[in-house]
Every structure is written in C-alpha cells, then in structure tokens.
Coordinates of all heavy atoms in Angstrom, one line a residue:
T1 N -29.0 -4.2 -13.1 CA -29.1 -4.6 -11.8 C -28.0 -5.6 -11.4 O -27.4 -5.5 -10.4 CB -30.5 -5.3 -11.5 OG1 -31.5 -4.4 -11.8 CG2 -30.6 -5.8 -10.1
T2 N -27.7 -6.5 -12.3 CA -26.7 -7.5 -12.1 C -25.3 -6.8 -12.0 O -24.5 -7.2 -11.1 CB -26.7 -8.5 -13.2 OG1 -27.9 -9.2 -13.3 CG2 -25.6 -9.6 -13.0
L3 N -25.1 -5.9 -12.8 CA -23.8 -5.2 -12.8 C -23.6 -4.4 -11.5 O -22.5 -4.3 -10.9 CB -23.7 -4.2 -14.0 CG -23.3 -4.9 -15.3 CD1 -23.5 -4.0 -16.5 CD2 -21.8 -5.3 -15.3
C4 N -24.7 -3.8 -11.0 CA -24.6 -3.0 -9.8 C -24.4 -4.0 -8.6 O -23.6 -3.7 -7.7 CB -26.0 -2.3 -9.5 SG -26.2 -0.9 -10.6
N5 N -25.0 -5.2 -8.6 CA -24.8 -6.2 -7.6 C -23.3 -6.5 -7.6 O -22.7 -6.7 -6.5 CB -25.6 -7.4 -7.8 CG -27.0 -7.2 -7.4 OD1 -27.3 -6.5 -6.5 ND2 -27.9 -7.9 -8.1
T6 N -22.7 -6.8 -8.7 CA -21.3 -7.1 -8.8 C -20.4 -6.0 -8.3 O -19.4 -6.3 -7.6 CB -20.9 -7.5 -10.3 OG1 -21.8 -8.5 -10.8 CG2 -19.5 -8.0 -10.4
A7 N -20.7 -4.8 -8.7 CA -19.9 -3.7 -8.2 C -20.0 -3.5 -6.7 O -19.0 -3.2 -6.0 CB -20.3 -2.4 -8.9
L8 N -21.2 -3.7 -6.1 CA -21.4 -3.5 -4.7 C -20.8 -4.7 -3.9 O -20.2 -4.4 -2.8 CB -22.9 -3.4 -4.4 CG -23.5 -2.1 -4.8 CD1 -25.0 -2.2 -4.8 CD2 -23.1 -0.9 -3.9
D9 N -21.0 -5.9 -4.3 CA -20.6 -7.1 -3.5 C -19.1 -7.5 -3.9 O -18.5 -8.1 -3.0 CB -21.5 -8.2 -3.7 CG -22.8 -8.1 -3.0 OD1 -22.9 -7.2 -2.1 OD2 -23.8 -8.8 -3.3
N10 N -18.7 -7.2 -5.1 CA -17.4 -7.6 -5.6 C -17.1 -9.1 -5.2 O -16.2 -9.4 -4.4 CB -16.3 -6.7 -5.0 CG -14.9 -7.0 -5.6 OD1 -14.8 -7.6 -6.7 ND2 -13.9 -6.4 -5.0
P11 N -17.9 -10.0 -5.7 CA -17.8 -11.4 -5.3 C -16.5 -12.1 -5.4 O -16.1 -13.0 -4.7 CB -18.9 -12.1 -6.1 CG -19.1 -11.2 -7.3 CD -18.9 -9.8 -6.8
T12 N -15.7 -11.6 -6.4 CA -14.4 -12.2 -6.7 C -13.3 -11.5 -5.9 O -12.1 -11.9 -6.0 CB -14.0 -12.2 -8.2 OG1 -14.1 -10.9 -8.7 CG2 -15.0 -13.1 -9.0
Q13 N -13.7 -10.5 -5.1 CA -12.7 -9.8 -4.2 C -11.5 -9.3 -4.9 O -10.4 -9.4 -4.4 CB -12.4 -10.7 -3.0 CG -13.5 -11.0 -2.1 CD -14.2 -9.8 -1.5 OE1 -13.5 -9.0 -0.9 NE2 -15.5 -9.6 -1.7
R14 N -11.7 -8.7 -6.1 CA -10.5 -8.1 -6.8 C -10.4 -6.6 -6.6 O -11.4 -5.9 -6.5 CB -10.6 -8.4 -8.3 CG -10.5 -9.9 -8.7 CD -10.6 -10.1 -10.1 NE -11.9 -9.8 -10.6 CZ -12.3 -9.7 -11.9 NH1 -11.4 -9.9 -12.8 NH2 -13.5 -9.4 -12.3
N15 N -9.2 -6.1 -6.6 CA -8.9 -4.7 -6.5 C -8.9 -4.1 -7.9 O -9.0 -4.8 -8.9 CB -7.7 -4.4 -5.7 CG -6.4 -5.0 -6.3 OD1 -6.3 -5.1 -7.5 ND2 -5.5 -5.4 -5.5
K16 N -8.7 -2.8 -7.9 CA -8.7 -2.0 -9.2 C -7.7 -2.5 -10.1 O -8.0 -2.8 -11.3 CB -8.5 -0.5 -8.9 CG -8.7 0.3 -10.1 CD -8.6 1.8 -9.8 CE -8.8 2.7 -11.0 NZ -8.9 4.1 -10.7
M17 N -6.5 -2.7 -9.7 CA -5.4 -3.1 -10.6 C -5.7 -4.6 -11.2 O -5.4 -4.8 -12.3 CB -4.0 -3.1 -9.9 CG -2.9 -3.4 -10.9 SD -2.9 -2.4 -12.4 CE -2.7 -0.7 -11.8
Q18 N -6.2 -5.4 -10.4 CA -6.6 -6.8 -10.8 C -7.6 -6.7 -11.9 O -7.6 -7.5 -12.9 CB -7.0 -7.6 -9.7 CG -5.9 -8.0 -8.7 CD -6.4 -8.8 -7.5 OE1 -7.4 -8.4 -6.9 NE2 -5.7 -9.8 -7.1
L19 N -8.6 -5.8 -11.8 CA -9.6 -5.7 -12.8 C -9.0 -5.1 -14.1 O -9.3 -5.6 -15.2 CB -10.7 -4.7 -12.3 CG -11.8 -5.2 -11.4 CD1 -12.6 -4.0 -10.9 CD2 -12.7 -6.2 -12.1
I20 N -8.1 -4.2 -14.0 CA -7.5 -3.6 -15.1 C -6.6 -4.7 -15.9 O -6.7 -4.8 -17.1 CB -6.6 -2.4 -14.7 CG1 -7.5 -1.3 -14.3 CG2 -5.7 -1.9 -15.9 CD1 -6.7 -0.1 -13.6
R21 N -5.8 -5.4 -15.1 CA -5.0 -6.4 -15.7 C -5.8 -7.5 -16.4 O -5.4 -8.0 -17.5 CB -4.1 -7.1 -14.6 CG -3.0 -6.1 -14.0 CD -2.0 -5.7 -15.0 NE -0.9 -4.9 -14.4 CZ 0.0 -4.3 -15.1 NH1 0.1 -4.5 -16.4 NH2 0.9 -3.5 -14.5
A22 N -6.9 -7.9 -15.8 CA -7.8 -8.9 -16.5 C -8.4 -8.4 -17.8 O -8.5 -9.1 -18.7 CB -8.9 -9.2 -15.5
A23 N -8.7 -7.1 -17.8 CA -9.2 -6.5 -19.0 C -8.2 -6.4 -20.1 O -8.4 -6.8 -21.3 CB -9.8 -5.1 -18.8
V24 N -7.0 -6.0 -19.8 CA -5.9 -5.8 -20.7 C -5.4 -7.2 -21.3 O -5.0 -7.3 -22.4 CB -4.7 -5.0 -20.1 CG1 -3.5 -5.0 -21.1 CG2 -5.2 -3.6 -19.8
K25 N -5.6 -8.2 -20.4 CA -5.1 -9.6 -20.9 C -5.9 -10.0 -22.1 O -5.4 -10.9 -22.8 CB -5.3 -10.5 -19.7 CG -4.7 -11.9 -19.9 CD -4.7 -12.8 -18.7 CE -4.1 -14.1 -19.0 NZ -2.7 -14.1 -19.4
F26 N -7.1 -9.5 -22.3 CA -7.9 -9.9 -23.5 C -7.2 -9.5 -24.8 O -7.6 -10.0 -25.8 CB -9.3 -9.3 -23.4 CG -10.3 -10.1 -22.7 CD1 -10.5 -10.1 -21.3 CD2 -11.1 -11.0 -23.4 CE1 -11.4 -10.9 -20.7 CE2 -12.0 -11.8 -22.8 CZ -12.2 -11.8 -21.5
L27 N -6.3 -8.5 -24.7 CA -5.6 -8.2 -25.9 C -4.9 -9.3 -26.5 O -4.7 -9.4 -27.8 CB -4.6 -7.1 -25.6 CG -5.0 -5.6 -25.9 CD1 -3.9 -4.7 -25.4 CD2 -5.4 -5.4 -27.3
E28 N -4.4 -10.3 -25.7 CA -3.6 -11.4 -26.2 C -4.5 -12.4 -27.0 O -4.0 -13.1 -27.8 CB -3.0 -12.1 -25.0 CG -2.1 -11.3 -24.2 CD -1.6 -11.9 -22.9 OE1 -2.0 -13.1 -22.7 OE2 -0.9 -11.3 -22.1
T29 N -5.8 -12.3 -26.8 CA -6.7 -13.2 -27.5 C -7.8 -12.4 -28.2 O -8.9 -12.9 -28.4 CB -7.3 -14.3 -26.6 OG1 -7.9 -13.6 -25.5 CG2 -6.2 -15.2 -26.1
D30 N -7.6 -11.2 -28.5 CA -8.6 -10.3 -29.0 C -9.2 -10.8 -30.3 O -8.4 -11.2 -31.3 CB -8.0 -8.9 -29.2 CG -9.1 -7.8 -29.3 OD1 -9.9 -7.8 -30.3 OD2 -9.2 -7.0 -28.3
T31 N -10.5 -10.8 -30.4 CA -11.2 -11.4 -31.6 C -10.7 -10.8 -32.9 O -10.4 -11.5 -33.9 CB -12.7 -11.1 -31.5 OG1 -13.2 -11.9 -30.4 CG2 -13.4 -11.6 -32.8
V32 N -10.5 -9.5 -33.0 CA -10.2 -8.8 -34.2 C -8.7 -8.9 -34.6 O -8.3 -8.5 -35.7 CB -10.5 -7.3 -34.2 CG1 -12.0 -7.1 -33.9 CG2 -9.7 -6.6 -33.1
C33 N -7.9 -9.5 -33.7 CA -6.5 -9.7 -34.0 C -6.2 -11.1 -34.6 O -5.1 -11.3 -35.1 CB -5.6 -9.5 -32.7 SG -5.7 -7.8 -32.2
Y34 N -7.1 -12.0 -34.4 CA -6.9 -13.4 -35.0 C -7.5 -13.5 -36.4 O -8.8 -13.3 -36.5 CB -7.6 -14.4 -34.0 CG -6.7 -14.8 -32.9 CD1 -6.6 -14.0 -31.8 CD2 -5.9 -16.0 -32.9 CE1 -5.7 -14.4 -30.7 CE2 -5.1 -16.4 -31.9 CZ -5.0 -15.6 -30.8 OH -4.2 -15.9 -29.7
R35 N -6.7 -13.8 -37.4 CA -7.2 -13.8 -38.7 C -7.0 -15.2 -39.3 O -6.3 -16.1 -38.8 CB -6.4 -12.8 -39.6 CG -6.4 -11.4 -39.0 CD -7.8 -10.8 -39.0 NE -7.8 -9.5 -38.3 CZ -7.5 -8.3 -39.0 NH1 -7.3 -8.4 -40.3 NH2 -7.6 -7.2 -38.3
V36 N -7.8 -15.5 -40.4 CA -7.6 -16.8 -41.1 C -7.0 -16.5 -42.5 O -7.0 -15.4 -43.0 CB -9.0 -17.4 -41.3 CG1 -9.7 -17.7 -40.0 CG2 -9.9 -16.6 -42.2
E37 N -6.4 -17.5 -43.1 CA -5.9 -17.4 -44.4 C -6.9 -18.0 -45.4 O -6.9 -17.6 -46.6 CB -4.5 -18.2 -44.5 CG -3.5 -17.5 -43.7 CD -2.1 -18.2 -43.7 OE1 -2.2 -19.5 -43.8 OE2 -1.1 -17.5 -43.7
E38 N -7.7 -19.0 -45.0 CA -8.7 -19.6 -45.8 C -10.0 -19.8 -45.0 O -9.9 -20.0 -43.8 CB -8.2 -21.0 -46.3 CG -7.0 -20.9 -47.3 CD -6.6 -22.3 -47.8 OE1 -7.0 -23.3 -47.2 OE2 -5.8 -22.3 -48.7
P39 N -11.1 -19.8 -45.6 CA -11.3 -19.4 -47.0 C -11.0 -18.0 -47.4 O -11.0 -17.1 -46.5 CB -12.8 -19.7 -47.2 CG -13.4 -19.5 -45.9 CD -12.4 -20.0 -44.9
V40 N -10.6 -17.7 -48.6 CA -10.2 -16.4 -49.0 C -11.2 -15.4 -48.8 O -10.9 -14.2 -48.4 CB -9.7 -16.4 -50.5 CG1 -9.3 -15.0 -51.0 CG2 -8.6 -17.4 -50.7
A41 N -12.5 -15.7 -49.0 CA -13.6 -14.8 -48.9 C -13.7 -14.3 -47.4 O -13.9 -13.1 -47.2 CB -14.9 -15.4 -49.3
L42 N -13.5 -15.2 -46.4 CA -13.5 -14.8 -45.0 C -12.3 -14.0 -44.7 O -12.4 -13.0 -43.9 CB -13.6 -16.0 -44.2 CG -13.6 -15.8 -42.6 CD1 -14.8 -14.8 -42.2 CD2 -13.8 -17.1 -41.9

C-alpha cells in the first residue's frame, strides 16, 4: 500500500531518469563492494 501511494503521489516529484540515477548511485557505496582486511575470519 505504501509503495502504491508513493508511485501515485510521487511526493519527491522525481522523473524517471532521476529515479534511475538515484538507484545507480548506490553502486558507489554498495554493501558487497566494501570489504575489510581484519578480522581475517570476517
């Protein structure tokens, strides 16, 4: 229901390309791309 509300009202007033750019921007801080060196087990 919340997602439908967001799609219908578009409260942040973003267009399609702005949505796409925001999604792709997550690549720069993607969880699986950030690694640790210690502890070795992790």
Side-chain angles (χ1 to χ4, degrees):
T1 299
T2 301
L3 281 165
C4 290
N5 282 332
T6 305
L8 287 165
D9 285 348
N10 190 15
T12 54
Q13 295 300 303
R14 290 180 297 170
N15 59 34
K16 184 173 183 176
M17 187 50 65
Q18 287 174 317
L19 279 172
I20 292 172
R21 293 292 182 188
V24 173
K25 190 172 178 60
F26 268 87
L27 264 178
E28 300 171 3
T29 56
D30 201 291
T31 294
V32 300
C33 293
Y34 276 80
R35 309 295 176 87
V36 300
E37 293 180 325
E38 293 181 346
V40 176
L42 177 56

